[in-house]
Amino acid sequence: MDLLDIVQNKVEEGLRISPDEALALMASHDLIRLGKIASMRCRAKNGDLAYFIVNRHINHTNICVNRCTFCAFSRDEKDPDAYTMDLSEVIQKAEQGAAEGATEFHIVGGLHPHLTLDYYLDLLSTLRQRFPHIHIQAFTAVEIDYLSRITGLPIGDLLRELKQAGLGSLPGGGAEIFDPRVRQSICPEKITGEKWLEIMEAVHAAGLKSNATMLYGHVEDTRARIDHMSRLRDLQDRTGGFQAFIPLAFHPENTRIPQTGMTTGFDDLKTMAVSRIFLDNFSHIKAFWIMLGEKIAQVSLLFGVDDIDGTVVEEKITHAAGAMTSEALSREALVRMIQKAGKVPVERDTLYREIRRYDKNQELNIKNQNDN
């Protein structure tokens, strides 16, 4: 038997593949076979369901003490396009999201040198008071570490305060690539991969769910990608606190990483397929359409992906790095994208509780409602 036969047999039996096998899969050019095997793993977990969420991104500041070479979003305080939203501006964005039917506020920003913990607590508590029905997913592990350092609060105590104020879950950002050599090259100021994992373990211990990301397509190699996923799989074995794994395709425009082009569709699909096969203890693999483009995100639903994220609205971070995608997609567009891939669209909340399941007739009804 060749490698793909061995891996397929393991997936059919619900067994785990090894890091060496995953690394060998990354060298395979049999993309269609990889997609079929990834689809087996995906179908065993989620059937033919494909998820999306109606959410609103709020990037409250782009001022950041870390000026990572891969990041096109961050600014110094004196830069002409630097900004920090006051609470009224955040509420205005949130009100727009609520009017559009959002069930999630997704809030991440830079590491601002002067914002105090009270700013973040007020932001959370005000949003929770004004919009008690909308889940707040906010602050990467990097932001949590920074708040801990500037306040002197241990991570556990900080998380308790944020949770009490209204924090519902954490996004998966800031993971980038855990490999120390690569991390030193692209984000030397950022916390280490070990620290990121340590914080996420504390997040899960605090009763909060999170996602996990991997930024690929810059200066890393496939060994670094598999090492990254291995560390995530090990932590998930211990905590079970990760909901979705999100491979993020690097965008090079306006960054300081030289000689790096965009990822290819082939690499994107392969990375998602291998991640679905390898991360057997993750319930969901998400294709972030903002980074991948709508068409690759749609095709990824046949390569192990079961989530294409959401309506998003006014995403700034990836677009600062040259993303050519829209800053928002309608619920109707997401439903159509999923249905045309032969999957069953499920509108979910942040914790993957089903809000509404769509079929072809419901898509027609949506169009008719829009015409009236």
Side-chain angles (χ1 to χ4, degrees), residues 210-249:
S210 74
N211 293 324
T213 61
M214 178 182 73
L215 185 70
Y216 69 94
H218 39 89
V219 301
E220 91 292 351
D221 57 17
T222 55
R223 187 173 297 277
R225 296 186 197 182
I226 299 304
D227 170 72
H228 185 97
M229 288 190 275
S230 293
R231 299 193 204 193
L232 291 174
R233 191 169 75 169
D234 289 345
L235 180 55
Q236 182 74 332
D237 279 342
R238 295 199 300 275
T239 70
F242 290 122
Q243 298 196 112
F245 175 66
I246 314 168
L248 300 175

Side-chain angles (χ1 to χ4, degrees), residues 90-369:
V90 172
I91 294 301
Q92 183 181 23
K93 302 287 187 185
E95 286 175 343
Q96 293 169 357
E100 294 157 358
T103 61
E104 174 190 282
F105 296 136
H106 182 103
I107 304 173
V108 296
L111 309 183
H112 197 290
H114 305 306
L115 292 180
T116 67
L117 179 60
D118 285 342
Y119 172 92
Y120 296 94
L121 295 176
D122 289 347
L123 183 154
L124 290 171
S125 60
T126 303
L127 287 176
R128 184 174 66 174
Q129 183 178 9
R130 296 282 294 271
F131 312 98
H133 59 294
I134 299 180
H135 183 101
I136 305 173
Q137 182 174 91
F139 314 138
T140 67
V142 178
E143 292 172 89
I144 296 297
D145 173 78
Y146 184 67
L147 286 173
S148 173
R149 287 190 283 117
I150 66 173
T151 61
L153 286 173
I155 295 293
D157 293 342
L158 173 64
L159 289 170
R160 277 191 288 275
E161 287 206 35
L162 294 172
K163 185 178 178 181
Q164 184 175 2
L167 180 64
S169 65
L170 268 72
E176 322 313 353
I177 285 284
F178 294 145
D179 179 271
R181 178 190 59 82
V182 177
R183 206 171 184 85
Q184 182 62 30
S185 173
I186 66 170
C187 52
E189 302 94 344
K190 189 164 283 186
I191 59 174
T192 64
E194 290 76 12
K195 186 66 174 179
W196 188 96
L197 291 163
E198 177 187 322
I199 291 170
M200 281 304 186
E201 188 158 12
V203 166
H204 300 164
L208 295 167
K209 295 291 187 180
S210 74
N211 293 324
T213 61
M214 178 182 73
L215 185 70
Y216 69 94
H218 39 89
V219 301
E220 91 292 351
D221 57 17
T222 55
R223 187 173 297 277
R225 296 186 197 182
I226 299 304
D227 170 72
H228 185 97
M229 288 190 275
S230 293
R231 299 193 204 193
L232 291 174
R233 191 169 75 169
D234 289 345
L235 180 55
Q236 182 74 332
D237 279 342
R238 295 199 300 275
T239 70
F242 290 122
Q243 298 196 112
F245 175 66
I246 314 168
L248 300 175
F250 176 64
H251 283 57
E253 189 174 318
N254 300 320
T255 72
R256 289 174 287 142
I257 295 182
Q259 299 177 340
T260 302
M262 299 287 285
T263 61
T264 66
F266 194 96
D267 190 24
D268 293 331
L269 293 172
K270 182 194 291 188
T271 300
M272 286 182 282
V274 172
S275 67
R276 175 64 288 170
I277 295 167
F278 183 66
L279 294 173
D280 57 286
N281 55 1
F282 276 66
S283 296
H284 306 284
I285 304 295
K286 181 188 293 188
F288 191 35
W289 66 262
I290 284 282
M291 284 185 159
L292 294 167
E294 296 165 33
K295 293 182 179 180
I296 291 293
Q298 181 188 39
V299 174
S300 74
L301 293 170
L302 303 178
F303 286 80
V305 165
D306 68 283
D307 190 321
I308 55 172
D309 198 65
T311 53
V312 179
V313 183
E314 205 178 14
E315 191 277 342
K316 295 181 180 295
I317 296 174
T318 308
H319 283 86
M324 300 300 291
T325 51
S326 304
E327 289 193 29
L329 279 179
S330 68
R331 179 191 280 109
E332 294 79 18
L334 293 167
V335 167
R336 182 174 184 273
M337 186 190 304
I338 293 169
Q339 288 176 328
K340 293 299 182 181
K343 301 292 183 177
V344 178
V346 177
E347 183 179 342
R348 63 169 177 87
D349 68 7
T350 307
L351 301 178
Y352 283 87
R353 293 174 298 208
E354 183 174 321
I355 295 174
R356 183 178 180 187
R357 191 176 300 201
Y358 294 79
D359 59 26
K360 292 179 181 178
N361 291 330
Q362 286 172 307
E363 181 192 21
L364 180 62
N365 289 341
I366 291 172
K367 291 178 180 176
N368 289 339
Q369 288 169 12

